[in-house]
Amino acid sequence: MKRVFAMIAGVALVLVTGTGVTLALWNDSETIDGVAIRSGVLMLDIGGQTEYDMGTVDTLYPGAVTATRLELNGHASGNLGLDYVLTSVLTDTSSASSALFGVVDAQVYVQSSASAECATSGVPGGTQVYGAAGGYSDLAALSVTESLVSTTELANTDYLCVRLTIPAGTSATVDGVELSDATSSFILNFAGEGIR
């Protein structure tokens, strides 16, 4: 009886193993066309730099507007596209500077023409990329992601119209700081990234 049971177990093992091998023999393959992979080099600059020092903000008062026009250049080889991120960074972190920085609002327009309007009044030409529907948003929260160079171009220049204001009705004193006596310094930082 033991011999018969051992023989039946052996046959079952062979059948299971044989079935496993048979299933493993089924396969398929497809051939695809070759793909060209290119590398490239990209550069992003604003006046040769990756950041722009806005200097000291001390001429604003509630309701007033300042306007600054910046030329942003991007160059890419190897058919790279270029995305960039624009942020504001407070460089003078004193309490007076921080208080003033915290109440300033900003709007940013991207312009493709060097002759587009960027003035303290009216609506600038171009596309608004920061600020809500013609309005302003917090300068301290400024973060914009835009594409500068399309995948079919090798170089491009955008112009940025950056406008700053302190909203009308802002209190003369913020966090114990008299805004009329405060100054604040910050930079606009540009970080570029190649894309395919």
Side-chain angles (χ1 to χ4, degrees):
M1 189 66 160
K2 288 184 183 178
R3 195 180 292 176
V4 172
F5 180 74
M7 197 181 294
I8 291 172
V11 170
L13 180 62
V14 169
L15 288 175
V16 170
T17 305
T19 303
V21 171
T22 303
L23 291 176
L25 293 176
W26 290 96
N27 64 55
D28 190 15
S29 63
E30 295 292 335
T31 303
I32 62 171
D33 295 334
V35 177
I37 299 175
R38 298 183 179 89
S39 62
V41 177
L42 63 90
M43 296 181 298
L44 172 70
D45 69 75
I46 180 161
Q49 306 296 318
T50 57
E51 61 186 36
Y52 181 79
D53 188 346
M54 291 293 288
T56 302
V57 178
D58 59 2
T59 59
L60 280 180
Y61 55 87
V65 176
T66 65
T68 303
R69 186 181 174 87
L70 308 174
E71 183 177 311
L72 184 62
N73 298 296
H75 308 276
S77 66
N79 198 31
L80 285 169
L82 177 61
D83 279 354
Y84 69 89
V85 178
L86 165 65
T87 54
S88 63
V89 181
L90 181 65
T91 54
D92 174 3
T93 57
S94 66
S95 59
S97 176
S98 297
L100 180 55
F101 185 71
V103 299
V104 175
D105 287 346
Q107 61 179 199
V108 179
Y109 287 80
V110 174
Q111 303 170 324
S112 58
S113 170
S115 60
E117 187 70 28
C118 180
T120 58
S121 61
V123 178
T127 303
Q128 186 174 9
V129 295
Y130 190 72
Y136 292 80
S137 295
D138 294 341
L139 172 62
L142 175 65
S143 182
V144 173
T145 301
E146 284 294 311
S147 183
L148 179 67
V149 180
S150 76
T151 55
T152 58
E153 295 176 315
L154 294 180
N156 195 28
T157 299
D158 275 349
Y159 302 90
L160 300 182
C161 177
V162 180
R163 302 204 307 181
L164 306 176
T165 190
I166 295 176
T170 298
S171 173
T173 304
V174 175
D175 295 332
V177 174
E178 289 287 337
L179 294 182
S180 61
D181 296 329
T183 61
S184 184
S185 296
F186 70 97
I187 61 172
L188 295 180
N189 186 67
F190 297 86
E193 179 181 356
I195 58 171
R196 280 290 292 174

